[in-house]
Amino acid sequence: MPETPPSAAEAAPPAQSPPARVPWAAYTGVYLLLFLIGTETFLVSPLLPTIADSVGVSVAAAASTVTAYTLVYALTAPFLGAVSDRFGRRPTILVGTLLFLLGNALAAVAGNLTVLVVARVVGALGAALAGPSIWAHIAETAPAPVRGRAVGLGMALFSAGQVLGVPAGSFLAGWGGWRASFWALTALTAASAPLLLAQIGNRPEDGAGGAAPLRFTAVFSVWRDGVLRHTLIVVFLLQAANLGAYTFLGSALHDRFGLSVNELGLLGILVGAGSALGSLAAGRIGDRARERGSGDAVWIPVWCLLLGGAAVLAALGATSLLAYAAVLVWFFASGAFGTLVQTLLVSSRPDLGATSSSWNSATLYAGTAVGVAAAGAFAHADTGTAVVGGGLAVLAGLAALPLVGRLRPAGAPESGESAAREESAAPEGPAAPGSGESVTPQGSAPEGASRAGSGREGSVEGASARKGAVTDGRA
């Protein structure tokens, strides 16, 4: 019998689905809150003399409000991140937002230093509770092909908030007194609340642990995970180079070129612009790398080495113009590194998303403290900036090289295994002897539960991730 020619519908090639896009509108509430948390970080700095006069204390005493905020955030974030991983993103983001709002409102009416310090502590608790939950929420809900861009925009807005905090605080203080700055934060936080209520829903897996108690040891589970621990060590080294060296850069440029305070103020603009551009670029670069199957981890040492080279050039460059250009590149690499690592940490183990993110912040603070101490040990600021910024960044890049191997995309053949096995849809089971990892079928987990869409080593998706079923030496 003659063959029946295929119909037009059968002959036509399958229609391609449109490229995934970041659902920006679904994140307006959390993006606004990230911007405000970033703004508050440095909001008080230009207000210290005014606050000191208002409450009748010295500037040094008024600075304790800054210390209280940063210390409370750094010390409590890992514990509050574990609370988020146990009870879900919606309740922790909403409670954190409420505490952040109350802290700023209390600061606006504070009549003495004690109340102001308490207010800053409350605000820090709110930021430490909401911040890591927000990063986990974005990574879990953004479409996998654009997850990096979604996180990147959040990082860009957080960085913009940090840079704008100083001029915004100065402007508002000149217009309506130092309390106006805190009232503005209170009002904008209140404006984010309806958006958060509407945009953050409960995921089916939130609270899936039933009556399981929240254990203290859960806070440190991140450090028992081989890949997460390795990543945080790289973060520690890179941030020691990054912010440790930057602390003395202004002094180095003043000594070498005689720059004025106003001229040095340009550094803040370059830092903010570079960080924002780097965050946005890294999100797009990472998404494209994962789409090609090459994985985004290879960029970690690249950003480390670029940051180190730029730090040396900024400290030792022959002209101030060259130093300024190097600062822009420096913080482009810094923003790109931050976005890439944030995406990795909150997506690598979804069951530890907020805890990993909170340890990222704590490790950043710890690295900064070590970097500042190391750079300050040098007699000349330019030497300290170059040695610490360049040396520790190179060390971070070298430390990241084995991490790239551990995060090899699942489609890449490994010893004793073929790519076909890794891409098969066979049920999850033990890996081949000696491989040291379990095999999980790609696409078997619900949206947001994959390891940043790359199928990296030891990834455990969906419900398996929440049981901690990892066999790559993570414990």
Side-chain angles (χ1 to χ4, degrees):
M1 296 178 61
E3 295 184 0
T4 304
S7 64
E10 295 172 336
Q16 295 184 348
S17 58
R21 297 181 181 275
V22 178
W24 311 115
Y27 297 117
T28 51
V30 294
Y31 282 156
L32 174 58
L33 192 57
L34 284 175
F35 176 81
L36 296 175
I37 292 173
T39 299
E40 190 178 35
T41 305
F42 299 114
L43 178 73
V44 174
S45 297
L47 308 180
L48 287 178
T50 306
I51 292 174
D53 290 340
S54 176
V55 299
V57 298
S58 67
V59 172
S64 63
T65 60
V66 178
T67 304
Y69 185 91
T70 54
L71 278 180
V72 168
Y73 187 104
L75 294 175
T76 63
F79 299 91
L80 297 177
V83 171
S84 174
D85 288 331
R86 170 60 182 83
F87 296 104
R89 312 307 177 208
R90 179 181 172 88
T92 49
I93 291 176
L94 294 179
V95 172
T97 302
L98 178 61
L99 290 174
F100 188 73
L101 185 152
L102 292 177
N104 286 298
L106 183 59
V109 300
N112 56 63
L113 182 61
T114 300
V115 176
L116 187 56
V117 169
V118 171
R120 295 286 283 165
V121 168
V122 173
L125 288 172
L129 184 58
S133 300
I134 288 174
W135 295 120
H137 166 72
I138 294 173
E140 291 164 351
T141 57
V146 293
R147 184 173 296 131
R149 272 168 276 185
V151 173
L153 180 58
M155 289 293 292
L157 290 171
F158 180 78
S159 299
Q162 289 181 317
V163 175
L164 292 176
V166 173
S170 300
F171 172 78
L172 289 172
W175 171 71
W178 64 270
R179 301 177 190 277
S181 301
F182 289 103
W183 281 126
L185 280 175
T186 302
L188 290 172
T189 304
S192 71
L195 294 172
L196 295 172
L197 286 169
Q199 295 173 352
I200 302 177
N202 285 315
R203 299 171 302 146
E205 58 268 35
D206 282 347
L214 177 64
R215 293 184 174 86
F216 177 81
T217 54
V219 176
F220 302 99
S221 56
V222 167
W223 294 97
R224 295 192 294 270
D225 182 295
V227 168
L228 297 182
R229 181 176 62 247
H230 195 156
T231 303
L232 290 174
I233 290 172
V234 174
V235 169
F236 175 85
L237 293 171
L238 197 280
Q239 295 302 348
N242 181 26
L243 299 178
Y246 178 69
T247 300
F248 294 92
L249 180 62
S251 178
L253 296 181
H254 173 74
D255 293 343
R256 297 192 67 227
F257 304 115
L259 299 181
S260 66
V261 174
N262 289 335
E263 289 171 324
L264 289 174
L266 176 61
L267 290 177
I269 298 175
L270 295 175
V271 168
S275 297
L277 291 173
S279 297
L280 295 172
R284 186 172 293 275
I285 291 171
D287 287 338
R288 288 180 175 176
R290 288 188 294 273
E291 183 181 359
R292 291 194 301 267
S294 58
D296 55 345
V298 68
W299 285 93
I300 297 177
V302 172
W303 300 131
C304 291
L305 297 178
L306 182 61
L307 187 151
V312 172
L313 192 58
L316 305 178
T319 65
S320 59
L321 183 61
L322 181 61
Y324 281 140
V327 169
L328 185 64
V329 175
W330 175 346
F331 281 89
F332 180 94
S334 173
F337 175 87
T339 293
L340 175 54
V341 167
Q342 189 72 264
T343 306
L344 166 63
L345 287 173
V346 298
S347 303
S348 180
R349 282 280 300 274
D351 56 321
L352 298 175
T355 307
S356 299
S357 178
S358 60
W359 273 113
N360 184 36
S361 298
T363 304
L364 182 151
Y365 283 117
T368 300
V370 171
V372 169
F378 289 83
H380 299 286
D382 55 351
T383 304
T385 300
V387 171
V388 171
L392 290 182
V394 170
L395 186 59
L398 294 175
L401 291 177
L403 182 63
V404 173
R406 300 183 75 171
L407 298 175
R408 183 183 298 110
E414 300 186 29
S415 59
E417 289 186 286
S418 66
R421 172 178 178 175
E422 293 180 353
E423 294 177 356
S424 70
E428 181 180 340
S435 68
E437 57 182 316
S438 60
V439 180
T440 304
Q442 298 298 306
S444 62
E447 179 63 53
S450 67
R451 172 172 245 167
S454 66
R456 301 182 177 112
E457 175 195 54
S459 74
V460 183
E461 303 179 351
S464 298
R466 306 191 185 285
K467 296 177 183 176
V470 183
T471 59
D472 67 345
R474 296 178 177 221

